[in-house]
Amino acid sequence: MKYAAITKRLAGLGSGKWALHIEGRRKAAAGIPVIELTIGEPDLPPDPMLLAECARAMQAGRTRYSNGRGEPAVVDALVRKYAKRRNGVTSRNILCFPGTQTALFVVMMGLLDAGDEVLAGDPSYATYEGVAAATGARLVPVPLRAKNGFHMQAADLEAAITPNSRVLLLNTPHNPTGAVLSASEIAAIGEICRRYDLWIVCDEVYEELTFDDRFASPFDNPDLSDRTIVVSSISKSHAAPGFRSGWAAGPSEFFDHLLPVSETMLFGVQPFIADMTAMALTQPIETSSIMRANYRARADLLVDRLSAHPALKPYRPEGGMFIVLDVSGTGLNGNDFATRLLEEENVSVMPGSSFGEGARDLVRISLTVLETSLEEAARRMLCLTERLAS
Ligand SMILES: Cc1ncc(COP(=O)(O)O)c(C=O)c1O
């Protein structure tokens, strides 16, 4: 049988990057006590108030078709959220989607054609290559260097631009490195985007998880408002990834063009989840501040324990749910270290290569488990490292 070219372009870009995670789950299912540090799933449940609102809305009949832009209450809540960050935001600047991932996919469908290029940090979130490839575009890496704290540099961005460059896909706080861009770094990057007429798609799914409250966004910079689209969700901020509730915020003219694309694919999102999302965005809920404190403390713990061995180099994150560890001092790259760690010590981590060639010496460790498990995982990483050194 013949399939469309998109299936070839995306082959291996889906679960292929998660092979070690899947192997860890297989071991665990076979009864082996694996410490799973692979995926970025919040370890708290959603606030009970949100679950009650979702159930109430379902019982109240909020189970009918919605509309393509989003339910009025959640669109209104998003207008208020983004109007605090920039003047002049209206409902025409908002589109709702089932999660950041879908928002990314549809936004890219609206910006890119075959042969175009998308610039993104190397390393970057594992699905970016796929959302670019789905459109027929190509992901072009911009090196994120450890010596710069993995912060994208305007000069590195400019060096990667070609006549085919259309979009810069930014992510702050950054997955996997935890880098949080400053307003001045964003201004310098934005200046390059203006000079080369690039769109900026900024993935802000970890906005609420900066460790020192220093979040900045190109959306908030009036000089960049005509070319910036933010994508985000309540997946991380409200520990609700399974609800699939996200959005895009950006220029009204682009969204008028994008709406039929979104409608063709989705025909709206679920009203009862929209009601819960409206509540999440308007009520004081502590989930993200609890996670922020937990993840920061857990990152500190791992930096302390792992830097005890000279062959290991942990990089303290500035936000998000992960920490990256340079394992090249052990003589192994990230993939081989992660494979042996799972085989010999029953700890699953993500190999850096799942996030780009630039991260081949790294592994990514999720901070979403209790301190006792992280202590034990660190002990096992040190055991493997000792064995490799002897
Ligand atoms: C950087 C980044 N963007 C997007 C997503 C997906 O978010 P959502 O659950 O809102 O689709 C993730 C999930 O881990 C992520 O790390």
Side-chain angles (χ1 to χ4, degrees), residues 18 20-21 24-25 34-41 298 302 306 321-323 325 337-338 341-342 345-351 355 363-381:
W18 299 88
L20 272 178
H21 165 71
R25 286 262 166 112
V34 171
I35 303 179
E36 181 179 294
L37 304 175
T38 40
I39 61 172
E41 192 149 55
R298 291 171 191 172
L302 280 185
L306 296 173
M321 299 187 160
F322 310 101
I323 181 169
L325 174 70
F337 185 90
L341 189 65
L342 181 57
E345 298 288 346
N346 294 323
V347 176
S348 66
V349 296
M350 289 294 284
F355 305 94
V363 296
R364 187 194 76 172
I365 303 167
S366 175
L367 300 168
T368 55
V369 299
L370 291 175
E371 280 76 356
T372 45
S373 298
L374 277 186
E375 284 270 13
E376 175 58 18
R379 193 190 65 73
R380 296 187 198 178
M381 286 182 220

Side-chain angles (χ1 to χ4, degrees), residues 7-348:
T7 60
K8 228 180 228 156
R9 292 199 301 272
L10 297 188
L13 295 182
S15 56
K17 297 190 178 205
W18 299 88
L20 272 178
H21 165 71
I22 293 163
E23 172 59 12
R25 286 262 166 112
R26 192 200 58 75
K27 280 185 106 171
I32 299 165
V34 171
I35 303 179
E36 181 179 294
L37 304 175
T38 40
I39 61 172
E41 192 149 55
D43 50 339
L44 295 181
D47 191 281
M49 197 164 84
L50 296 183
L51 298 179
E53 172 60 8
C54 197
R56 182 209 60 75
M58 257 193 275
Q59 298 289 353
R62 297 277 293 141
T63 50
R64 304 174 75 98
Y65 281 124
S66 180
N67 69 84
R69 191 168 287 274
E71 286 292 299
V74 76
V75 171
D76 194 50
L78 287 164
V79 168
R80 276 186 275 156
K81 171 181 167 67
Y82 286 99
K84 280 189 204 142
R85 291 172 40 174
R86 191 179 83 205
N87 288 333
V89 176
T90 74
S91 59
R92 286 186 62 216
N93 300 109
I94 306 292
L95 277 186
C96 293
F97 290 99
T100 313
Q101 189 59 41
T102 324
L104 270 172
F105 188 93
V106 176
V107 165
M108 292 304 190
M109 292 298 279
L111 294 179
L112 294 162
D113 286 309
D116 288 340
E117 291 175 358
V118 182
L119 299 136
D122 178 12
S124 62
Y125 180 49
T127 69
Y128 288 176
E129 201 178 341
V131 289
T135 68
R138 192 170 73 87
L139 201 71
V140 173
V142 179
L144 304 181
R145 303 174 200 278
K147 68 171 186 197
N148 299 320
F150 301 105
H151 287 221
M152 187 179 286
Q153 304 294 298
D156 287 329
L157 170 62
E158 188 166 20
I161 291 173
T162 77
N164 296 327
S165 305
R166 291 287 310 280
V167 173
L168 168 64
L169 179 44
L170 268 188
N171 171 215
T172 183
H174 184 256
N175 177 5
T177 67
V180 178
L181 294 173
S182 69
S184 62
E185 287 169 326
I186 287 172
I189 288 169
E191 183 45 39
I192 301 291
C193 293
R194 275 157 51 93
R195 198 178 308 154
Y196 292 90
D197 196 20
L198 301 180
W199 286 97
I200 304 173
V201 176
C202 195
D203 179 344
E204 301 183 355
V205 75
Y206 297 103
E207 173 187 350
E208 302 295 337
L209 295 178
T210 54
F211 298 157
D212 61 4
D213 289 329
R214 183 179 58 79
F215 176 75
S217 164
F219 185 91
D220 307 356
N221 182 331
D223 293 340
L224 302 174
S225 60
D226 56 339
R227 62 183 65 251
T228 299
I229 301 134
V230 166
V231 290
S232 193
S233 75
I234 60 166
S235 293
K236 316 290 178 176
S237 59
H238 293 82
F243 285 85
R244 313 308 300 132
S245 185
W247 57 84
S252 56
E253 200 186 317
F254 171 53
F255 282 1
D256 290 346
H257 286 92
L258 197 64
L259 187 55
V261 181
S262 170
E263 285 170 337
T264 305
M265 182 176 176
L266 298 168
F267 216 86
V269 293
Q270 304 88 332
F272 53 95
I273 291 176
D275 289 356
M276 170 203 174
T277 305
M279 178 180 270
L281 293 169
T282 51
Q283 299 298 314
I285 290 171
E286 288 186 335
T287 311
S288 55
S289 55
I290 298 169
M291 283 190 292
R292 195 159 51 231
N294 285 349
Y295 299 156
R296 181 185 198 153
R298 291 171 191 172
D300 285 346
L301 181 146
L302 280 185
V303 169
D304 179 70
R305 300 300 185 276
L306 296 173
S307 50
H309 199 292
L312 298 178
K313 192 162 190 292
Y315 289 100
R316 189 186 303 273
E318 298 162 308
M321 299 187 160
F322 310 101
I323 181 169
V324 289
L325 174 70
D326 186 328
V327 296
S328 56
T330 66
L332 297 183
N333 64 27
N335 193 52
D336 293 343
F337 185 90
T339 304
R340 293 213 26 198
L341 189 65
L342 181 57
E343 271 170 18
E344 298 173 26
E345 298 288 346
N346 294 323
V347 176
S348 66

